[in-house]
Amino acid sequence: MCGWRWRELRRFLKKIPAMEDAQAIRDACDGQQAVCVSLVREKKTEKPSKLYDLTTLQREANRVFGYTAKQTLDYAQSLYEKKLLTYPRTDSRYLTGDMTETASVVLHLAARVPPFDACPEFFPDVLALVNDKEVSDHHALIPTLELEKADVPALPVGERNILLLACCKLLCAAAEPFVYEAVTAAFDCSGHTFTAKGKQVLSQG
């Protein structure tokens, strides 16, 4: 089969309930040429993820580090008491408009914290972080201006990991969107239609 591997074909065959039907299709196409009959390209954009509220921070810390919800809250609370993290008990994932200038400064401070200092220069979109209507009692969790004076490597490992997560999320939330071109191709082989999907990255964001 021209341009097709058995591995790709098996994925298609899983959708055919009867094995004999799948085998018949394979036999009919074996050694035959597949012809592309349609090709659709579509440019798509994925916006960066939003900032952390307490719940999303706890989920991420559990996924990445295996911390329980209570451990994450305790680490975040300790960072808050050290004035390195904003108030952790929040259900908001945005900042308020009056925080724009502060957020811009903190963004550049976070970009100087290892390992993020190895990233190329970027131009954050601070306004993407702001939505007054989505902020209730407390705004999203972000590092504070005290990050400039903090000895991050010297922090207890749990606190350090949570602070680095907050820095990473802040940088990602203000980054450019991920842009790619989705490609869907249809092939005809011996009267049978096969579909292949893929994507080409245009901007990593």
Side-chain angles (χ1 to χ4, degrees), residues 53-54 57-58 67 69-89 141 158-160 162-163 166:
D53 59 10
L54 178 58
L57 174 63
Q58 288 171 322
Y67 296 159
K70 184 179 186 306
Q71 284 176 315
T72 299
L73 177 57
D74 288 345
Y75 295 143
Q77 182 66 31
S78 181
L79 289 168
Y80 171 67
E81 291 169 3
K82 293 178 180 179
K83 303 186 186 306
L84 291 173
L85 195 67
T86 57
Y87 187 68
R89 295 177 184 271
L141 265 162
E159 294 177 19
R160 182 171 70 245
I162 295 301
L163 184 59

Side-chain angles (χ1 to χ4, degrees), residues 23-61:
Q23 186 62 47
I25 294 173
R26 182 181 186 277
D27 293 342
C29 295
D30 195 22
Q32 302 301 311
Q33 184 175 10
V35 178
C36 182
V37 293
S38 71
L39 184 66
V40 178
R41 300 178 182 271
E42 185 180 3
K43 186 177 179 180
K44 296 188 176 183
T45 300
E46 291 183 10
K47 294 182 179 180
S49 59
K50 294 179 286 188
L51 297 169
Y52 286 133
D53 59 10
L54 178 58
T55 300
T56 52
L57 174 63
Q58 288 171 322
R59 288 174 181 167
E60 190 87 336

Side-chain angles (χ1 to χ4, degrees), residues 8 19 24 32 76 95-96 100-101 103 114 129 138 141 150 154 156 181:
E8 279 88 11
M19 178 56 72
Q32 302 301 311
L95 306 178
T96 52
T100 303
E101 186 175 342
L129 312 176
H138 303 282
L141 265 162
E181 185 178 59

